[in-house]
Amino acid sequence: MKKNTLTLSLSALTVIGMAVLSNCTSESEGKVETGYNTSNSPDSLCLVDPSWFPHSQTPAPEEGIGSPFDTSSTTNQIFHQWSWNKFLWLTKPDAGGNPLFLNQSKVKQVTSNMAAVSVPDSTLVVLQDTAQAGSESAVLQTNPDYNGGNGAMVYYSIHMNPTMYKAALGFAKALNKGTLPLNNTKAFPVGSFELKVAWVPVSAIPVSKLDEYYTTTASLSTNNGVSFTKTEVALIGMHVVGVVQNHPEFIWATFEHDDLSPDYDWKANSASSASDQLLFKKGSTSGINGILYNSETELGQTPHQVFDLFQYGIPRNPDGSFMTTSQQEPADFQNVDGINKCVKSQLNDVWANYFYNGSIWLNTDGTTPLQQAQLLDSLGYNLTNATPGSFARGSLNCANVTMETFTQTFESSIDSINVNNLANCFSCHSAVKFKTGGKMKSPLYLSHVFQDYVLNKQGNSLKQVEQIKAAEEKQVRKIMQQ
């Protein structure tokens, strides 16, 4: 995001940030983090006590008082460890042999406006939503050549744990009654989490490769909920978004299947694959057309050649070197790469075919919960900033190719992408309330599902809610493109 287009310049933001974080030392302009270093042994990143393996016994990650986050000085490693640990815990089999996140007594499936979804017997998930994030409501279709001409639409489900769901109901009631002001410093409790999951009918995948995907039976609608049919679907991507001690902004982690698409090679200025992948037609594409949306064809400008703009969401320059950002490299890249190698070497089930594509959070070291909430409110749309001295840490262009396919950047050409306009989860998920011109702020507003619920309870129809959200996202996009 460009420094001279925002409500606050970076220098002004730093002043406000330092005022909020009054217990920080004067040496730490923009909150310089100290804990980047990665171990020389990737195995040490995932062989922890208690052990995550075997996968059937993965414990839930420590998140609250006494956890690795309950400290005034963190390392990047613990955020990556939380991300993989949370994913493994959510996907481990319950007593019925199904992933824990599909157990409705443990994790609720909800709609985009937080209404509880009733999942029919003999299925585990209900699917009808196809629209991706962003004002264009883009859809994603698979590469038909991956399975002999059989392409399919990608569908999405949203899930929320009871901790967050119960808290969200309470906060929404207070906001709508006026007992909680719209401008506030409330945050979701530690342990809260949301998931967004990308699925595709198995008809899009060759039979010879199906055992490489987690598959289940869904109740799927192709006509906006008018009717549903039992359909076998495969999981291809997942966002894991959760609150841990000292991080009301959530950790935003993302996972993808191994055989979806290539990473863009910034040194070669192209993305290429010698074989067909689920989302990428074999061959090569240069520039950004593969991830620019064509609303008429409902495909990329270059059809069926979408790619991950940056491997692990960590930005690079045209010569392949790492960008100079608020994040020290190559240490963080090595953290993500190392933990992926470690976890995959320990898995012997279908989840070994998925990888961690990074996560993003803020550096809040040495601050109190109140100061953390005040920081989120003071940053507003600047939460996304990745320039040196900013607070964002981790994968500073964090995105999932199955969900933010066409919003991995807001630029119109590959040459225009730089540290001032990187896109990430915080580009759209900020502490700013929809439809208030950036005036009302709260850590609660980071959740779009929660905001949609509040708007719906205020009398807005689902269509109106989507229009309000789309207008907000257009505003964000306009700011970033200036």
Side-chain angles (χ1 to χ4, degrees):
M1 190 174 288
K2 296 187 177 179
K3 292 179 281 186
N4 61 351
T5 63
L6 299 172
T7 306
L8 299 171
S9 68
L10 181 59
S11 58
L13 176 59
T14 302
V15 170
I16 288 179
M18 293 309 295
V20 170
L21 308 175
S22 57
N23 65 340
C24 299
T25 66
S26 59
E27 299 174 353
S28 57
E29 179 182 351
K31 291 284 291 160
V32 176
E33 186 176 9
T34 58
Y36 290 102
N37 291 342
T38 185
S39 169
N40 291 326
S41 170
D43 281 354
S44 67
L45 289 166
C46 80
L47 298 179
V48 295
D49 186 20
S51 175
W52 298 348
F53 310 104
H55 187 196
S56 61
Q57 298 175 24
T58 302
E62 297 179 7
E63 300 173 326
I65 301 297
S67 75
F69 302 98
D70 184 20
T71 178
S72 61
S73 180
T74 60
T75 66
N76 283 29
Q77 288 184 13
I78 66 174
F79 295 88
H80 302 309
Q81 288 173 326
W82 176 89
S83 299
W84 251 121
N85 190 175
K86 195 78 167 182
F87 179 80
L88 291 172
W89 176 70
L90 288 165
T91 56
K92 77 174 183 180
D94 63 10
N98 300 310
L100 185 147
F101 82 93
L102 292 177
N103 184 326
Q104 294 296 310
S105 67
K106 303 290 186 182
V107 185
K108 300 173 71 71
Q109 184 179 352
V110 296
T111 65
S112 61
N113 65 307
M114 219 176 77
V117 172
S118 178
V119 180
D121 292 340
S122 73
T123 66
L124 290 182
V125 64
V126 175
L127 300 175
Q128 69 177 76
D129 295 335
T130 59
Q132 293 198 350
S135 57
E136 290 185 303
S137 297
V139 296
L140 178 61
Q141 300 178 51
T142 67
N143 167 26
D145 290 349
Y146 189 62
N147 188 29
N150 296 311
M153 189 74 73
V154 176
Y155 293 83
Y156 304 99
S157 62
I158 300 172
H159 310 260
M160 182 180 287
N161 73 325
T163 299
M164 184 167 180
Y165 187 77
K166 182 178 179 180
L169 293 178
F171 285 131
K173 183 178 181 180
L175 284 169
N176 287 333
K177 286 179 64 177
T179 55
L180 178 64
L182 294 178
N183 211 24
N184 65 75
T185 55
K186 296 295 184 181
F188 289 107
V190 170
S192 298
F193 68 80
E194 286 183 29
L195 311 174
K196 187 170 184 180
V197 188
W199 307 86
V200 70
V202 298
S203 59
I205 300 170
V207 173
S208 62
K209 293 189 175 185
L210 267 181
D211 61 357
E212 298 173 11
Y213 292 79
Y214 169 73
T215 62
T216 190
T217 304
S219 181
L220 184 145
S221 175
T222 60
N223 52 15
N224 296 316
V226 175
S227 61
F228 290 84
T229 58
K230 288 185 182 179
T231 306
E232 287 299 302
V233 294
L235 188 153
I236 60 174
M238 182 187 290
H239 280 321
V240 179
V241 184
V243 178
V244 300
Q245 191 74 19
N246 293 318
H247 289 276
E249 79 279 13
F250 297 83
I251 301 172
W252 299 74
T254 197
F255 294 80
E256 299 176 9
H257 191 273
D258 288 338
D259 199 22
L260 301 183
S261 63
D263 297 305
Y264 197 80
D265 184 334
W266 281 79
K267 194 169 184 179
N269 191 31
S270 66
S272 60
S273 176
S275 59
D276 283 300
Q277 295 182 270
L278 182 64
L279 302 177
F280 193 90
K281 190 174 183 176
K282 70 178 179 180
S284 180
T285 182
S286 60
I288 208 169
N289 282 345
I291 55 173
L292 283 182
Y293 190 61
N294 184 327
S295 58
E296 294 183 2
T297 63
E298 295 189 327
L299 300 169
Q301 298 286 358
T302 301
H304 304 303
Q305 285 196 316
V306 303
F307 50 82
D308 275 307
L309 184 61
F310 295 106
Q311 185 178 14
Y312 304 147
I314 298 176
R316 291 182 182 266
N317 297 307
D319 64 0
S321 63
F322 292 107
M323 278 189 195
T324 300
T325 65
S326 61
Q327 174 68 57
Q328 182 177 313
E329 298 299 349
D332 198 61
F333 182 91
Q334 292 169 349
N335 270 310
V336 179
D337 195 54
I339 199 169
N340 273 324
K341 290 175 180 175
C342 180
V343 172
K344 282 173 164 288
S345 72
Q346 298 295 319
L347 290 174
N348 58 8
D349 57 15
V350 70
W351 302 105
N353 299 305
Y354 295 80
F355 72 97
Y356 169 49
N357 202 33
S359 60
I360 190 169
W361 64 93
L362 295 186
N363 180 20
T364 59
D365 282 1
T367 62
T368 67
L370 177 59
Q371 290 171 332
Q372 293 152 17
Q374 290 172 334
L375 174 63
L376 295 181
D377 286 0
S378 70
L379 287 173
Y381 292 126
N382 296 281
L383 203 65
T384 189
N385 281 359
T387 49
S390 299
F391 292 83
R393 294 291 185 269
S395 303
L396 299 176
N397 207 100
C398 189
N400 190 301
V401 74
T402 72
M403 301 184 212
E404 292 86 30
T405 314
F406 306 107
T407 53
Q408 296 182 65
T409 180
F410 295 115
E411 299 302 301
S412 57
S413 71
I414 202 84
D415 298 330
S416 300
I417 300 171
N418 58 63
V419 70
N420 295 303
N421 55 40
L422 294 174
N424 55 52
C425 305
F426 293 138
S427 299
C428 293
H429 292 271
S430 70
V432 177
K433 188 179 188 303
F434 296 155
K435 210 170 76 169
T436 62
K439 295 179 181 179
M440 299 300 176
K441 299 173 184 177
S442 167
L444 299 173
Y445 302 144
L446 281 150
S447 170
H448 284 187
V449 176
F450 173 73
Q451 284 222 56
D452 288 5
Y453 176 78
V454 172
L455 286 169
N456 186 228
K457 289 301 179 182
Q458 289 174 343
N460 295 284
S461 68
L462 297 183
K463 183 177 181 180
Q464 288 172 322
V465 169
E466 289 303 313
Q467 290 171 339
I468 292 169
K469 186 162 56 175
E472 182 79 9
E473 290 170 343
K474 282 183 179 179
Q475 176 66 17
V476 171
R477 189 166 190 155
K478 183 178 179 181
I479 291 173
M480 294 191 68
Q481 289 179 323
Q482 288 178 341

